[in-house]
Amino acid sequence: MLLIECPYCGPRAEIEFSYGGEAHIDRPGPEVSEEEWASFLYLRENTKGVLAERWRHAHGCGRFFNALRDTRTDEFKAFYEMGEKRPDAEKKEGEGA
Amino acid sequence: MVEITEGCVLSRLPASTRLILQGRQPALQAACGALGVETVPEMLCTAEGAGGHALRVGPFELALQPTGDGLAPLEAALASVPHSLVEVSNRNVSYTLQGWQAADILAALCPLDFSLAAFPVGMATRSILDKAGALIWRTADQTFHIEVWRSFAPYVEGQLHEVAKSISYNILTVQH
Amino acid sequence: MSKTFRLSGYGRVDRSRPVTFLFDGKPVKGYAGDTVASALLADGRHLMGRSFKYHRPRGPVSAGSDEPNALIGVGEGARHTPNLRATQVEVHEGLVAISQNRLPSLRFDVGIVNTLASPFLPAGFYYKTFMWPHGFWDKVYEPLIRRASGLGKAPTAPDPDEYGLHYAHCDVLVAGAGPAGLAAALAAGKTGVRVILCDENPEFGGALLSDSHSLIDGVAAAQWVARTVAELEKLPNVQLLTRCSAFNYGPHNMVALNQRLTDHLASAPVGMPRERIWQVRAKEVVLAAGSLERPLVFEGNDRPGILLASAARTYLQRYGVLCGRKAVVMTADDAAYRVAIEMAEAGLKIVAVADLRANPDSAVVAEARARGIKVLPSTTIQRAHGHYRVGAVELAPVSADGAVGKGRTVSCDLVLMSGGFTPSLHLHCQARGALTYDDKLGVYLPGDSVEHVRSAGSCRGVYALDAVLRDGAEAGLNAAGGEGDLPVWTVTRQDQPGEGGFAGALPRRGPGHLALAFVDFQNDVTAKDVKLAVREGFQSIEHVKRYTTTGMATDQGKSSNVNALAIVSKTLQRAPQKVGLTTYRPPYTPVTFGAFASHARGDQFDPLRLAPADGWARAHGAVFEDVGLWRRARYFPRAGEDMLAAVTRECRMVRKTAGIFDASTLGKIEVVGPDAAEFMNRFYINGWTKLGVGKCRYGLVCRDNGFVYDDGVVGRVAKDRFHVTTTTGGAAGVLNMMEDYLQTEWADLDVWLTSITEEWGVIALQGPKAREILAPLVDGLDISAEAMPHMFLKEGTIGGIPMRLFRVSFTGELGYEINVPSGRMREVWDRVWAAGQPHGLTPYGTESMHVLRAEKGYLIVGQETDGTATPGDVGCGWAISKIKPDFIGKKALALPALNAPDRLQMVGVLTDDPHYVLEEGMQLVAAPQMQAPASADGHITSSYFSPALNRSIAIAMVKGGRSRMGATLYAPRLDAAAVRVTLVDPVFYDPEGARVNG
């Protein structure tokens, strides 16, 4: 069971959380092209390496937040609040081929 | 009130007012003020004022347990601040679990660390008790205040009894 | 010669406590502290089981959890546990154990014919043989294979025992309490951090308990163990767990331990759990899992009486049992010499120590020679003879180039083998640790891991006792943070590990096409199977594993993996590190299912959520159904009524007078804040700005892909407060989705969400008499048709109890949903019920609710919709706001594909035969006789007998259905002619909607 560090409540066991998929996917307005909309709906990176993803502390404070997790090892590199930028330092490191 | 294992008592508390206040810092501040709590408690901390308890269960959320005519002063204090105040007195069923094995019993159902260092007196948080969500608040070294949603209450009571049956045997005691 | 093999003056068993147990129905004597294996060996019995595939006679090869052969069933009836290792099962008075996989008896087993057939059962036999004909798999091959395979039999009755599961937290978890583990626990414990030390054995000490040679700080190893354990027991921050296996290393240092509490007891205290799983979250983990001696692979190496040398030493030093009278030692390693010396001292005749190496010359070899033990360098075992027990071996010379010469056969009743020691890497690998191949030791060692884990002692290739203790202490101290005193011990009289070791198949004379030299004893995989797999083109070790099944048995390759790897490596002529090792999977040793279930069993398996009127419904004879975790009343049969009769009566009464229904399980969310209306506008497809306070509206939620997600009535309680309802099953999902958009897309909005599903109990009062029944109860609130039309909402009290009264209908009749605090709903229910009696008020359940809404053509999300239906598809296109700049699903709903005329659309369906009720899920096709495969025009989503119409009705999703009213389609059946149906408007009853406004 993963140990996930909620930015508000601290480290907690995975069963308190629900997964929210890849992070930093901005929802476009209805004015975008159909291709852009399809991409927003359906296209994800499927990263092998450090992935920015969303979690919700569903059985805790209820807040959504972001995490950087290496999908090869499950190692978390960072936890940060919604609206914050992806921490740059980790962006390159460990990104798979 | 029932002794679920030697030295550990589970008590269902009588219904009383429970409110969920949500809002930004000024709303939390105003609500605390109405309860006579000077500063908004930090995350997972609780505070008691003349008007009741405030439990900081979320960054934008307080679980309030006002005493007496708690609701009116709260509404007055919050009138000019954007907020949401919702009564959940009936949604939540409250218990206390008290006794030297209380932490051990909770540790069978909840992945939190109940050592006093990790979960000190006065800490409150939402978590889970096996398959039910729960609010867990340590009110004394060996006393926990627990709230669960009404329909989960029989299940949670059942689980606590089930766990308590075997708690005396070769248990790793939660260390303080 | 004495009949017993038990020696006085040896062992740690309690001679003052003799124990009798049953093995295959016959009494066996032992002592407290014995295992089933040691007690049987004390009787001179090695034969304890039959092998998996060839049914070969087998005896124990080890003395611990790595045992692949001596698997037994323990206990009777529902308490029977199959496939336990006899080398670990502790005896107690009255224990009942049986051998397995034999018919009719252990000694005479008809399955042995498989051995004769072994030339025809090569690797991949099943894959090659049972391929064709296709249809044979289910009916012939699989049942046959299932009957022939497997070892023990699982009990069929429910497990009567109790089990526990607990979470625990510590700073340092030490897995394994041999010398390294004890040293680590002590070093860590003395710093004051929280330490848990666990070991799978009944007592701590590991290999030290079998070591009568080494001295630590001047005392015997076992004495040092006792002293150290006593010291650990005094530390309040250290918790000690015996009979407790670390079996799974999960992500982020969550290690699962399985503690066995009662199996070793003749009678356990009432209520004591049989086993308990500890889910330990450790900041740091020290793996002190030790190493496992490798068997040697030669023809007949599975004959009973052929053991690992270290196992024989354990039987002698821990249990006081000599495993035979006359032994040949076959080794490639120095450690076996110490065993030979000790065994000879204990009275065993050592025929010879055959050493694969040309020049064994360490101190312990010299000591053996000096004691008159014959050492044969450059010697191998060509073959072992015997059936139920090894009787002789052929010792043959090996030349420098590996050629094996003609040997001589010597008689013996015991062969002690040692191929060197394999570090136990299972937990390290489960921790996603890398492995590095050590050329010098010829084994894999633990490398880096992403987890906070370190290995200590022989599980990382450190073998000399003084080095193991130092390694353990350093690991423990470092795991504890590094601050503190490092305990130091002085070891005297220790054997140095020396060079050597061997992996793979021993050299042999001749090709050995028919030789059964076992690599994986438990799965009966031989050296030639592994070689054959490679010859047939399997080069990846993972493929060889699956093709041959080597390493896939319950022992997870503890004894076999390195030998298999070496054979593959040699056959491929590729270095072992290029071949790699297969994945070790949890559990390290098998765990009882009951332990995983623990307290989640029976009534406590899942929460059973009871609605507020559940007690009333039970008292009134309701039949219930589970809806998610909720238990809901389905119908209320009267004497002699079946479901159809009860539902028909309930529906008629609702339409004629009134019905009462517990709707409390509906999800409810309070949306509050100055931006509440704006939030609702963005979230729902409907518009909310114009909804006045005190009014309700049916709302539909789509996902951004444009498909219907949930629906429900929403009431505006105040300008800044909406009372939202969702479906029963959608409650948590809708709230999560709301929070998602609110927190991540629209964080600027001042609006907040609170689940009030359980705050408000909901009594649905439906039917033409509803107002008449309710009006006198609501404390003067004006609920007349004028004051409170359909889709209005009023706050008030009912008998002094706060109430949110919705005038809404899911039946098509005049109706109310009376929301009252859930803790007081029963009072209100009783009052309404009493008031309704003169009017014929009838309770109804979910089944009638479904029929009543189907008669009105109201959809149920999840029944009519399947995640690909748009609002337009289900006839709710009217709900889509045309003026909102955006809402969830707006973009997708404008896409041409989601507006195509041939989409599946919701329609009503009538059968020609008014008594025939279609099956939900039936397909609809264009012609009565169509050849498969045919594409369907649609399918039935809801189907009932309608009491109002006195005929069957159905709802279907049909391609372009709305433009095909009156069309004829057919619902094919397997066993009869297709049913002819006509497409109609889905509103079957009161299409003008007059009744709801009554």
Side-chain angles (χ1 to χ4, degrees):
Chain A
M1 198 189 303
L2 304 181
L3 187 66
I4 299 168
E5 199 173 320
C6 169
Y8 312 99
C9 303
R12 295 293 180 92
E14 185 183 350
I15 38 171
E16 289 189 0
F17 297 85
S18 54
Y19 188 62
E22 192 174 327
H24 304 298
I25 292 170
D26 292 327
R27 179 176 181 272
E31 68 285 352
V32 298
S33 69
E34 288 178 17
E35 287 71 25
E36 282 172 274
W37 187 255
S39 159
F40 155 70
L41 279 183
Y42 299 115
L43 296 186
R44 296 295 181 268
E45 288 298 323
N46 195 24
T47 306
K48 181 182 181 182
V50 177
L51 170 72
E53 63 190 14
R54 310 176 333 139
W55 289 89
R56 180 177 180 225
H57 195 187
H59 286 293
C61 64
R63 303 304 294 178
F64 279 85
F65 58 90
N66 290 326
L68 292 184
R69 182 176 59 95
D70 190 324
T71 57
R72 298 163 301 184
T73 61
D74 279 338
E75 187 186 0
F76 282 109
K77 306 281 188 187
F79 298 94
Y80 53 105
E81 293 183 23
M82 280 295 156
E84 279 185 55
K85 274 201 175 135
R86 174 179 166 140
D88 280 327
E90 272 78 21
K91 195 162 183 180
K92 294 282 185 299
E93 184 199 325
E95 279 196 339
Chain B
M1 183 165 128
V2 51
E3 187 168 26
I4 56 175
T5 186
E6 196 191 327
C8 195
V9 172
L10 178 69
S11 314
R12 183 163 171 161
L13 303 177
S16 55
T17 307
R18 300 281 183 266
L19 302 164
I20 295 295
L21 173 84
Q22 295 182 84
R24 301 181 200 276
Q25 192 64 23
L28 307 190
Q29 188 62 59
C32 284
L35 295 184
V37 171
E38 224 165 81
T39 53
V40 179
E42 295 291 308
M43 267 304 288
L44 312 184
C45 294
T46 54
E48 185 181 7
H53 282 98
L55 286 61
R56 185 76 181 277
V57 292
F60 306 103
E61 180 177 5
L62 288 170
L64 303 176
Q65 306 194 346
T67 49
D69 57 348
L71 196 50
L74 274 167
E75 281 173 340
L78 288 161
S80 60
V81 195
H83 72 280
S84 158
L85 186 63
V86 175
E87 182 166 359
V88 293
S89 312
N90 284 265
R91 182 185 80 176
N92 290 15
V93 172
S94 309
Y95 298 89
T96 56
L97 183 68
Q98 185 167 25
W100 65 275
Q101 284 175 321
D104 290 335
I105 288 171
L106 291 178
L109 302 173
C110 177
L112 290 172
D113 184 349
F114 290 104
S115 66
L116 273 168
F119 202 117
V121 174
M123 176 171 161
T125 182
R126 288 205 192 92
S127 182
I128 54 152
L129 291 176
D130 219 336
K131 295 175 184 170
L135 172 79
I136 303 171
W137 171 21
R138 187 174 217 149
T139 54
D141 280 13
Q142 298 181 354
T143 309
F144 292 89
H145 176 102
I146 297 165
E147 294 190 13
V148 298
W149 286 10
R150 177 172 294 270
S151 71
F152 286 94
Y155 168 77
V156 170
E157 281 183 43
Q159 287 296 78
L160 290 168
H161 277 95
E162 191 66 29
V163 169
K165 276 199 292 189
S166 63
I167 202 75
S168 318
Y169 299 106
N170 295 51
I171 200 82
L172 279 184
T173 302
V174 172
Q175 294 166 8
H176 296 165
Chain C
M1 215 178 252
S2 152
K3 268 188 73 184
T4 179
F5 289 77
R6 186 85 68 175
L7 302 181
S8 57
Y10 281 93
R12 306 172 58 78
V13 294
D14 186 350
R15 312 271 172 146
S16 69
R17 290 167 59 205
V19 165
T20 305
F21 66 97
L22 291 178
F23 184 68
D24 280 344
K26 300 225 172 63
V28 179
K29 289 192 190 320
Y31 296 106
D34 260 325
T35 64
V36 168
S38 68
L40 288 169
L41 290 172
D43 264 1
R45 297 166 66 176
H46 280 251
L47 177 61
M48 295 183 198
R50 290 277 179 168
S51 75
F52 179 69
K53 191 159 115 189
Y54 300 132
H55 292 247
R56 306 250 299 183
R58 290 282 169 83
V61 70
S62 78
S65 65
D66 50 336
E67 176 56 38
N69 279 342
L71 302 185
I72 57 171
V74 176
E76 293 177 291
R79 286 202 157 83
H80 180 75
T81 308
N83 304 340
L84 292 176
R85 294 152 300 283
T87 50
Q88 283 190 298
V89 176
E90 297 171 63
V91 301
H92 59 71
E93 195 62 36
L95 177 89
V96 176
I98 55 162
S99 59
Q100 301 181 150
N101 203 28
R102 80 293 193 261
L103 191 77
S105 77
L106 184 53
R107 217 166 160 83
F108 302 99
D109 174 17
V110 298
I112 191 74
V113 296
N114 281 0
T115 295
L116 306 176
S118 68
F120 312 108
L121 291 173
F125 172 72
Y126 294 112
Y127 300 126
K128 290 164 183 163
T129 311
F130 300 117
M131 298 270 292
W132 186 92
H134 182 71
F136 264 44
W137 179 256
D138 288 349
K139 290 190 177 65
V140 182
Y141 296 144
E142 195 182 340
L144 262 177
I145 292 169
R146 286 206 183 281
R147 204 164 60 209
S149 70
L151 293 161
K153 284 197 178 68
T156 50
D159 189 334
D161 283 312
E162 302 281 336
Y163 297 86
L165 185 147
H166 282 252
Y167 295 96
H169 303 260
C170 66
D171 296 297
V172 180
L173 170 70
V174 182
L182 288 170
L186 195 65
K190 280 184 160 174
T191 68
V193 302
R194 296 192 293 178
V195 176
I196 294 174
L197 172 65
C198 70
D199 192 280
E200 62 183 2
N201 290 294
E203 54 178 340
F204 286 158
L208 294 180
L209 300 177
S210 312
D211 184 349
S212 66
H213 181 67
S214 312
L215 300 176
I216 307 174
D217 283 354
V219 301
Q223 209 178 326
W224 178 85
V225 169
R227 215 157 73 179
T228 307
V229 171
E231 210 174 333
L232 286 167
E233 278 169 346
K234 277 191 224 124
L235 296 173
N237 55 315
V238 176
Q239 310 231 11
L240 305 175
L241 293 168
T242 53
R243 297 187 179 91
C244 186
S245 316
F247 68 90
N248 178 45
Y249 201 123
H252 302 168
N253 270 21
M254 188 151 219
V255 183
L257 319 178
N258 179 228
Q259 182 189 16
R260 293 167 296 279
L261 294 164
T262 63
D263 276 1
H264 63 290
L265 301 175
S267 66
V270 175
M272 187 166 184
R274 182 180 173 216
E275 296 178 10
R276 185 178 277 143
I277 285 181
W278 293 100
Q279 291 273 31
V280 180
R281 181 80 71 180
K283 291 204 175 74
E284 297 284 339
V285 174
V286 177
L287 298 178
S291 55
L292 300 166
E293 196 167 21
R294 271 194 305 285
L296 291 169
V297 180
F298 54 90
E299 184 177 354
N301 64 341
D302 63 324
R303 293 305 182 195
I306 302 180
L307 280 81
L308 295 167
S310 60
R313 189 187 198 196
T314 294
Y315 287 116
L316 178 66
Q317 303 295 359
R318 277 183 66 180
Y319 303 103
V321 173
L322 206 52
C323 289
R325 301 287 184 216
K326 196 175 165 192
V328 167
V329 179
M330 178 70 232
T331 188
D333 178 84
D334 283 352
Y337 285 87
R338 176 58 56 200
V339 180
I341 292 165
E342 288 181 4
M343 301 290 276
E345 238 168 42
L348 183 74
K349 179 169 172 46
I350 305 288
V351 179
V353 178
D355 198 320
L356 205 57
R357 299 170 297 178
N359 296 302
D361 64 347
S362 63
V364 70
V365 178
E367 187 183 337
R369 283 194 169 112
R371 287 172 182 249
I373 292 172
K374 191 200 284 183
V375 176
L376 303 173
S378 299
T379 302
T380 187
I381 291 181
Q382 167 74 11
R383 184 184 174 191
H385 299 272
H387 186 67
Y388 295 120
R389 180 73 182 264
V390 63
V393 293
E394 184 194 332
L395 294 174
V398 191
S399 62
D401 61 357
V404 175
K406 189 90 180 137
R408 64 188 178 91
T409 299
V410 296
S411 74
C412 61
D413 65 354
L414 188 65
V415 176
L416 304 180
M417 57 182 168
S418 177
F421 289 81
T422 306
S424 181
L425 301 167
H426 298 67
L427 290 172
H428 172 78
C429 289
Q430 290 176 18
R432 295 193 241 193
L435 298 176
T436 58
Y437 189 77
D438 188 294
D439 270 322
K440 190 158 160 285
L441 295 172
V443 292
Y444 276 100
L445 297 180
D448 292 337
S449 168
V450 293
E451 300 292 345
H452 295 278
V453 62
R454 65 200 77 210
S455 294
S458 66
C459 70
R460 70 179 198 98
V462 175
Y463 293 122
L465 182 54
D466 56 349
V468 167
L469 291 171
R470 194 166 53 241
D471 201 39
E474 281 171 4
L477 187 63
N478 288 335
E483 298 293 320
D485 294 331
L486 190 70
V488 177
W489 299 279
T490 309
V491 179
T492 44
R493 280 207 354 200
Q494 67 173 326
D495 291 322
Q496 291 304 320
E499 309 266 308
F502 184 81
L506 286 185
R508 61 171 289 121
R509 189 175 64 248
H513 291 320
L514 294 175
L516 295 178
F518 288 90
V519 175
D520 183 325
F521 293 98
Q522 197 177 127
N523 269 355
D524 267 351
V525 180
T526 63
K528 68 181 165 62
D529 290 332
V530 177
K531 288 176 196 164
L532 177 66
V534 176
R535 277 207 309 277
E536 290 187 355
F538 294 94
Q539 304 211 345
S540 153
I541 190 74
E542 292 284 0
H543 293 160
V544 172
K545 165 177 165 173
R546 278 154 188 80
Y547 193 58
T548 64
T549 73
T550 189
M552 288 173 71
T554 62
D555 65 346
Q556 278 293 296
K558 290 185 184 69
S559 56
S560 60
N561 266 15
V562 170
N563 282 332
L565 160 68
I567 294 170
V568 171
S569 155
K570 194 175 167 198
T571 314
L572 281 174
Q573 296 183 305
R574 193 184 290 170
Q577 54 269 46
K578 296 256 189 293
V579 175
L581 215 51
T582 58
T583 311
Y584 294 105
R585 300 196 188 279
Y588 179 69
T589 44
V591 177
T592 312
F593 278 114
F596 289 114
S598 78
H599 27 255
R601 58 187 289 175
D603 291 345
Q604 290 294 122
F605 176 68
D606 254 345
L608 180 64
R609 304 178 70 180
L610 303 181
D614 180 81
W616 189 93
R618 242 179 312 156
H620 286 75
V623 172
F624 292 93
E625 68 171 337
D626 290 340
V627 181
L629 295 176
W630 289 99
R631 179 167 81 183
R632 303 192 70 183
R634 191 172 186 195
Y635 57 97
F636 292 81
R638 290 186 180 163
E641 281 184 340
D642 61 6
M643 185 169 86
L644 179 63
V647 168
T648 301
R649 174 181 49 74
E650 289 172 13
C651 289
R652 289 203 169 121
M653 288 306 284
V654 170
R655 300 236 182 269
K656 192 174 151 222
T657 59
I660 185 169
F661 173 76
D662 186 350
S664 306
T665 65
L666 282 182
K668 295 176 274 299
I669 299 163
E670 196 139 311
V671 178
V672 186
D675 294 324
E678 174 61 19
F679 172 78
M680 294 295 290
N681 273 338
R682 295 187 194 181
F683 193 79
Y684 281 81
I685 65 170
N686 319 63
W688 300 93
T689 316
K690 287 187 188 150
L691 182 71
V693 172
K695 288 189 177 172
C696 308
R697 179 167 290 170
Y698 171 75
L700 256 178
V701 185
C702 283
R703 308 204 67 134
D704 254 329
N705 57 18
F707 299 134
V708 173
Y709 180 64
D710 203 84
D711 69 347
V713 169
V714 177
R716 190 163 196 173
V717 179
K719 192 166 177 299
D720 61 350
R721 189 174 293 250
F722 290 82
H723 178 121
V724 167
T725 69
T726 73
T727 59
T728 295
V734 171
L735 181 58
N736 189 65
M737 182 173 157
M738 283 181 167
E739 288 286 0
D740 191 344
Y741 279 85
L742 186 55
Q743 293 183 34
T744 68
E745 295 292 339
W746 311 323
D748 55 312
L749 294 184
D750 272 345
V751 58
W752 296 274
L753 314 167
T754 309
S755 171
I756 49 167
T757 299
E758 298 223 36
E759 177 64 15
W760 297 99
V762 184
I763 302 167
L765 182 63
Q766 303 276 313
K769 300 278 188 190
R771 185 186 298 114
E772 238 174 292
I773 295 168
L774 186 61
L777 304 176
V778 292
D779 303 343
L781 193 69
D782 184 359
I783 61 167
S784 64
E786 301 71 36
M788 192 173 185
H790 184 50
M791 297 305 263
F792 271 59
L793 152 69
K794 284 190 178 216
E795 289 187 282
T797 57
I798 179 162
I801 296 169
M803 168 182 70
R804 280 181 183 169
L805 183 64
F806 287 68
R807 180 160 172 202
V808 289
S809 172
F810 199 42
T811 59
E813 301 297 328
L814 158 67
Y816 300 90
E817 288 185 356
I818 310 161
N819 285 252
V820 289
S822 57
R824 306 195 67 182
M825 190 188 108
R826 180 63 194 277
E827 291 170 53
V828 177
W829 179 283
D830 286 344
R831 255 177 252 166
V832 175
W833 175 245
Q837 286 314 294
H839 303 276
L841 180 65
T842 301
Y844 67 100
T846 51
E847 192 65 27
S848 297
M849 179 265 280
H850 280 126
V851 175
L852 291 163
R853 67 89 202 176
E855 289 177 338
K856 285 294 298 172
Y858 297 148
L859 83 131
I860 287 186
V861 171
Q863 183 146 348
E864 272 63 57
T865 68
D866 60 1
T868 65
T870 66
D873 295 342
V874 290
C876 294
W878 56 266
I880 304 170
S881 164
K882 312 284 186 297
I883 54 169
K884 292 193 292 185
D886 195 9
F887 59 84
I888 299 172
K890 180 179 173 85
K891 173 72 183 178
L893 288 172
L895 299 177
L898 269 63
N899 294 281
D902 62 343
R903 290 185 60 79
L904 292 172
Q905 292 170 338
M906 184 171 138
V907 293
V909 168
L910 292 176
T911 51
D912 283 3
D913 173 1
H915 300 295
Y916 185 79
V917 181
L918 295 160
E919 293 282 334
E920 287 172 1
M922 268 181 154
Q923 299 296 307
L924 296 175
V925 297
Q929 281 158 331
M930 287 183 70
Q931 289 297 313
S935 60
D937 274 17
H939 59 272
I940 304 294
T941 56
S942 294
S943 179
Y944 310 94
F945 182 80
S946 161
L949 278 71
N950 200 26
R951 63 151 299 145
S952 64
I953 59 168
I955 299 174
M957 296 296 289
V958 174
K959 278 182 192 165
R962 269 202 301 279
S963 58
R964 295 168 72 180
M965 290 300 145
T968 297
L969 287 175
Y970 296 86
R973 292 182 288 181
L974 276 180
D975 50 358
V979 182
R980 212 175 95 104
V981 304
T982 307
L983 303 190
V984 297
D985 187 274
V987 185
F988 296 98
Y989 182 72
D990 185 26
E992 303 79 28
R995 302 182 64 87
V996 80
N997 292 316

